[in-house]
Amino acid sequence: MPEPMHVQVVTPERPVFDGPADFIVVPAHDGEMGILPRHARFLGALGLGELRITRGANLERYFLDGGFVQVTAEKVTVLCDHCTPLDGLDAAALGAAAAQAKSAGAPNAAALAQRAAVANRIAARARK
C-alpha cells in the first residue's frame, strides 16, 4: 500500500485539516471525486456536499460549501468557502436562515435553501 498523502483543508477563516490521509472524497462541482495517494495532478471546482477524509480506520466527515481542490505530487489542497465538521453542523439553523432570507426577499435565498437541503441530506446520511 502506498504511503499516505498529505491533505490540507483551508477556509478563509482558518485551516480545518492538515495531516496524512489514505483516501479522500471531495464534492466536485459535477459529482463526487475520490482521491488516493499518487493520484494524477488535478485542479477542479468544488460544489456543495460532503468531504470525507479516511486515515486508517478513522473517517472524518465535513460539510463543504464550494471552493477548489488541487492535487499535486506532494499533497492535496482543498481551498473552500466554508467547511464544517458534520458533528458541528446545525442543519435546522441553515433551514431557518434560508426561510428567513426567502421571507425577506433576499437575493441569495435560493442559494441558502439549496445549502440547507444538502446539509439536511448529509446529516441524515451521517445518522445512518
Side-chain angles (χ1 to χ4, degrees):
M1 179 174 226
E3 290 291 316
M5 61 193 153
H6 185 84
V7 176
Q8 288 183 316
V9 180
V10 182
T11 68
E13 293 84 27
R14 63 183 173 81
V16 176
F17 181 91
D18 189 357
D22 299 319
F23 180 63
I24 71 168
V25 177
V26 295
H29 185 68
D30 56 354
E32 289 189 332
M33 178 182 166
I35 302 168
L36 288 164
R38 299 173 39 194
H39 191 283
R41 292 176 182 261
F42 178 79
L43 179 64
L46 298 174
L48 285 169
E50 183 180 6
L51 168 67
R52 297 185 299 276
I53 302 173
T54 304
R55 296 186 296 173
N58 298 327
L59 173 64
E60 296 190 32
R61 301 170 80 178
Y62 300 88
F63 174 70
L64 189 137
D65 185 1
F68 297 92
V69 61
Q70 178 186 30
V71 180
T72 66
E74 296 81 31
K75 66 181 175 181
V76 177
T77 305
V78 177
L79 301 171
C80 49
D81 300 327
H82 304 282
C83 187
T84 306
L86 279 192
D87 57 3
L89 179 64
D90 188 351
L94 290 175
Q100 183 179 13
K102 184 177 179 180
S103 67
N108 65 342
L112 289 173
Q114 179 187 19
R115 186 175 186 218
V118 171
N120 278 321
R121 281 196 312 268
I122 291 170
R125 190 170 53 203
R127 288 189 295 266
K128 290 182 182 179

